[in-house]
Amino acid sequence: MKYLKSQMKLLIKDNNELQKRLKVLMEEHDLEKSFAMKALYHSEVAEGGKYQLAYQALDLPKD
């Protein structure tokens, strides 16, 4: 599975918990938003993370 910034933005936009986690990552580690999003992807989405299925569903072809 590949990290796509646009997909990650959509996933975060639709999920309050991920929005909070993103803000915490940015503040605690003094990260720019793009780096915090990638860190969030690796911790919560990639390799069977909690939000992997939701992330993959965003990539389904639209009919």
Side-chain angles (χ1 to χ4, degrees):
M1 188 169 51
K2 186 176 179 182
Y3 171 78
L4 296 171
K5 187 175 181 177
S6 59
Q7 266 181 251
M8 198 61 193
K9 278 185 175 182
L10 287 174
L11 184 65
I12 292 168
K13 178 183 170 192
D14 294 336
N15 188 298
N16 289 334
E17 184 179 335
L18 287 177
Q19 290 173 19
K20 291 175 188 174
R21 292 278 322 264
L22 180 65
K23 287 181 183 181
V24 168
L25 277 173
M26 289 171 66
E27 292 170 5
E28 284 185 0
H29 300 285
D30 194 29
L31 293 172
E32 293 178 19
K33 187 174 183 176
S34 60
F35 293 117
M37 284 174 49
K38 199 161 193 175
L40 196 58
Y41 167 81
H42 286 290
S43 67
E44 298 294 335
V45 177
E47 304 298 323
K50 183 177 178 181
Y51 298 98
Q52 183 177 19
L53 292 177
Y55 182 83
Q56 287 174 329
L58 294 171
D59 193 33
L60 294 177
K62 309 293 187 250
D63 291 336

